Amino acid sequence: MPSQPLGLRRKPPKVKQACDCCHTRKIRCDGEEPCANCVGAELRCSYIIVPKKTGPKGPRVRTLPRAYGRLKELPANVNGITARGVSPPIAPQNTAQRQWPVGSSLDQARGFKPSPLCSSEIIGRCVYGFFAHKYPIMPILDREQVYASLPNLHSHPEQYGLITALCAAIILQPEILGPPGASEGRLNADQLPSSEFFISETCRARQYCNHIETPTLAAVQTSFFLFAALFSVGKDNSAWFYIREAMTLLQLQHFHEEDTYSAMTDPQYVTYCKRTFWLLFITERAYALQRHRPLTLQRTIDLPTLHPNPEATILSGFLDLVSLFQNIDDTFLSLWNLSPASSTTLSPESLVHLQEILELALPDVFDRTEIQQADLLVSRQWLKTIVWQLCVSKGLLSSSSANESMSFNYPVTIARDVVLTSRLLPQRAFEANGIGILEKVFDIGCSLADILLLHPSSMQSSGLEIGPKDYLIELLRILRTVSGGSSKYLRLLTEKADECLHVKIRGSLSESESSNDINVIEEIDDENFEQEGVEAMFYDSVCTSLGVL
């Protein structure tokens, strides 16, 4: 064999296809599996992206299936949970995806293509927004598996449907969208696809899956996110349809039976199945109270096990929410949904006991994340308001009652605690909870306004004291200042405040309706809360009320 001439180097062998990571990073790949670059950078080496054809270039349509994000930015901690919140989530370091059960795709799945409007940038920002802001109150998705699935959505319509359903809910809160392209800043509203578009994409993707005959956990979660999106835009019938569909798909897989989990071998899969069950359990009860619907799910499985790991804070707050809503049972809902003349009864003593349970249900709330604190504290006060409203409808209240929860003035105390909570927590904690928490604040404000209207003489306070009227003004402020708040709730409560306070609040319902921009509520009089020492009074009062001092 002739020797190679000196000074000449053998050309490296030509590589037909670079791996996905090297292609994205624009570096030379050796074509091995795994390649040397991915081994050195501890990346998952894959050859999923189909190489583009060479030759004359005609019109192109940019599609989603390209490697996701900046793969060189990998976290040391996959969970990213801190004591006060969730650190910015990025693609996890260990992207070896667990093989969870998937639905059977129809033959037509080979022709499925994502919409070019679903860019990796938009999807990445929505996924970021979910894990950074929504995950603490709905911890049902595995972060590692979601990020690992993003480059392959073109070949998995079921996973594509899950992600677009998530985007349909998250896109309604553009203020929580974040990286991947952090250098580009916030996207303008006209740059974002609508929630309706993502919902239609989810429905289109489901045409390529047999999610009814072969339901999966992803199918349950997809229906839940569709519910969340439709609830946020006020489409109550559609929202009710999808929350019921989610529960039906869950029951078809027997996830509501504890025996089902004994046959599962992946403890992580068991964890997310159970979390999904309990999120549906909480959501159905809240929605049943808001829209007078019947219950489907009962407490039939064990709660998720709490282990000392980085997610312990998140799960503890989630279990607190379960402990709140499990007190709303079929008996209470039957009485709540029927007319005042119904024969279904609850004794006054049982309702007083229920109020006491709600009062003591959150002993360690300040150990939770700020997002969870806002959800837990407002939800507790809202449930107290619901119980009080039931007492009103049944004629059980008395102006001389020794128990405050059975008096006409109880909404004043409830509203005060909500106001104090809003003063202790940052605005972003309320923003992350979205429309759900704003509707609860609205219900609390309506009860307070009714009391101010019916018993104005008993609500008087001196100019140096903070009283019920100030609480109502502050509840309006919460609805106004939380970004993404529904103008509907703000306008309706403003109208009630105009009526009971006998003062025209700037930006009232009539003024708003005369303008094309219904979101403009100019300003609520700040003098109510600019008195010297008011902030300190609020802080001391809330800490004492909530057991911090």
Side-chain angles (χ1 to χ4, degrees):
M1 182 176 181
S3 60
Q4 183 177 354
L6 295 177
L8 297 179
R9 295 182 180 178
R10 179 177 298 175
K11 293 182 179 180
K14 186 176 181 180
V15 178
K16 293 183 178 180
Q17 179 182 353
C19 75
D20 299 340
C21 294
C22 291
H23 175 76
T24 302
R25 299 163 69 193
K26 293 182 173 59
I27 60 177
R28 184 180 295 277
C29 180
D30 60 19
E32 300 295 330
E33 190 173 356
C35 72
N37 294 329
C38 290
V39 172
E42 297 183 353
L43 297 174
R44 179 189 178 192
C45 192
S46 62
Y47 292 80
I48 297 173
I49 298 178
V50 179
K52 298 178 181 178
K53 295 182 179 180
T54 59
K57 298 176 174 58
R60 294 183 177 181
V61 177
R62 185 178 181 182
T63 56
L64 182 65
R66 55 174 54 189
Y68 171 74
R70 294 171 171 79
L71 298 179
K72 61 182 179 181
E73 299 178 359
L74 302 173
N77 181 356
V78 171
N79 294 293
I81 306 298
T82 65
R84 302 294 291 176
V86 184
S87 61
I90 52 180
Q93 187 171 20
N94 178 15
T95 55
Q97 191 172 359
R98 286 183 290 272
Q99 296 301 313
W100 287 1
V102 296
S104 61
S105 297
L106 302 178
D107 292 340
Q108 301 95 307
R110 289 190 294 270
F112 171 75
K113 291 182 180 180
S115 168
L117 296 179
C118 292
S119 67
S120 58
E121 175 71 18
I122 297 296
I123 287 181
R125 287 181 178 241
C126 288
V127 171
Y128 174 94
F130 172 80
F131 283 111
H133 300 282
K134 291 294 189 181
Y135 185 79
I137 55 177
M138 48 182 71
I140 61 172
L141 294 182
D142 182 274
R143 185 193 309 264
E144 178 182 336
Q145 196 170 56
V146 167
Y147 275 103
S149 72
L150 294 184
N152 310 319
L153 295 181
H154 65 293
S155 58
H156 295 285
E158 181 179 62
Q159 190 68 18
Y160 177 81
L162 172 60
I163 297 301
T164 51
L166 180 150
C167 291
I170 299 299
I171 206 72
L172 293 167
Q173 295 178 253
E175 69 277 2
I176 70 174
L177 303 181
S183 60
E184 301 178 15
R186 286 190 176 184
L187 296 175
N188 296 326
D190 56 2
Q191 295 177 283
L192 300 174
S194 66
S195 178
E196 290 77 9
F197 164 76
F198 282 116
I199 291 173
S200 67
E201 278 297 286
T202 301
C203 295
R204 183 176 69 86
R206 280 188 156 184
Q207 295 175 6
Y208 295 86
C209 307
N210 204 353
H211 73 282
I212 296 177
E213 282 301 318
T214 56
T216 63
L217 177 60
V220 178
Q221 295 166 342
T222 298
S223 295
F224 169 78
F225 285 120
L226 288 174
F227 156 80
L230 292 162
F231 170 77
S232 297
V233 297
K235 295 184 178 179
D236 290 335
N237 288 342
S238 297
W240 177 242
F241 174 86
Y242 280 109
I243 191 68
R244 296 284 291 216
E245 180 182 75
M247 293 183 291
T248 299
L249 293 173
L250 180 139
Q251 291 173 329
L252 287 174
Q253 299 170 82
H254 302 281
F255 289 162
H256 63 300
E257 300 173 1
E258 187 63 34
D259 291 343
T260 301
Y261 299 101
S262 61
M264 296 181 179
T265 58
D266 186 344
Q268 199 75 357
Y269 182 64
V270 170
T271 294
Y272 286 99
C273 287
K274 286 193 170 185
R275 290 186 187 183
T276 301
F277 170 91
W278 286 110
L279 180 60
L280 292 176
F281 178 91
I282 294 167
T283 304
E284 184 192 24
R285 274 159 170 70
Y287 195 71
L289 290 170
Q290 291 167 326
R291 301 295 184 268
H292 292 274
R293 308 289 191 182
L295 291 181
T296 297
L297 292 183
Q298 304 299 327
R299 182 171 179 169
T300 55
I301 67 170
D302 297 335
L303 291 168
T305 304
L306 185 61
H307 298 292
N309 58 36
E311 284 215 322
T313 298
I314 294 293
L315 187 55
S316 295
F318 184 66
L319 296 179
D320 286 340
L321 203 57
V322 174
S323 70
L324 273 180
F325 280 91
Q326 69 181 2
N327 296 297
I328 305 302
D329 55 16
D330 277 319
T331 302
F332 185 91
L333 258 298
S334 297
L335 192 61
W336 175 257
N337 289 334
L338 295 176
S339 64
S342 169
S343 59
T344 305
T345 59
L346 278 175
S347 67
E349 293 76 18
S350 63
L351 293 173
V352 170
H353 182 60
L354 179 56
Q355 293 281 26
E356 292 173 348
I357 291 175
L358 293 173
E359 180 66 30
L360 302 174
L362 304 174
D364 303 317
V365 66
F366 285 98
D367 291 334
R368 312 307 181 222
T369 70
E370 290 175 337
I371 294 173
Q372 289 178 317
Q373 287 179 40
D375 187 26
L376 289 167
L377 292 173
V378 173
S379 293
R380 176 171 67 177
Q381 300 309 123
W382 177 69
L383 289 175
K384 290 180 182 180
T385 301
I386 294 296
V387 177
W388 179 85
Q389 289 177 356
L390 181 63
C391 293
V392 171
S393 67
K394 300 301 179 183
L396 301 177
L397 301 183
S398 170
S399 56
S400 60
S401 174
N403 192 293
E404 185 183 26
S405 66
M406 301 299 285
S407 70
F408 288 106
N409 294 341
Y410 194 44
V412 178
T413 301
I414 292 174
R416 180 204 65 190
D417 287 347
V418 171
V419 170
L420 300 177
T421 297
S422 73
R423 289 279 161 166
L424 280 181
L425 296 174
Q427 177 179 319
R428 64 178 180 273
F430 281 75
E431 286 181 342
N433 283 276
I435 192 66
I437 199 170
L438 296 184
E439 183 167 333
K440 293 171 184 176
V441 171
F442 170 76
D443 288 343
I444 293 168
C446 285
S447 291
L448 177 60
D450 290 338
I451 291 301
L452 288 172
L453 187 62
L454 296 175
H455 301 278
S457 59
S458 62
M459 299 294 148
Q460 300 296 330
S461 59
S462 69
L464 299 178
E465 294 178 348
I466 298 173
K469 295 181 179 180
D470 302 303
Y471 300 149
L472 182 57
I473 294 292
E474 187 68 2
L475 293 178
L476 282 167
R477 188 196 306 276
I478 294 172
L479 295 179
R480 177 176 67 93
T481 58
V482 174
S483 298
S486 171
S487 60
K488 176 182 72 173
Y489 298 122
L490 178 57
R491 290 186 292 113
L492 292 177
L493 188 57
T494 300
E495 183 184 44
K496 292 181 74 72
D498 287 344
E499 183 180 4
C500 66
L501 299 180
H502 305 293
V503 174
K504 193 69 173 179
I505 297 177
R506 289 190 291 271
S508 67
L509 178 66
S510 57
E511 294 171 355
S512 297
E513 288 185 333
S514 64
S515 171
N516 292 328
D517 186 5
I518 62 174
N519 292 315
V520 176
I521 303 294
E522 295 180 0
E523 145 179 20
I524 297 174
D525 193 358
D526 290 334
E527 294 179 359
N528 297 277
F529 286 86
E530 289 180 352
Q531 304 168 45
E532 183 178 357
V534 165
E535 291 288 349
M537 292 168 58
F538 266 104
Y539 184 82
D540 293 342
S541 179
V542 72
C543 290
T544 302
S545 173
L546 300 176
V548 180
L549 296 180

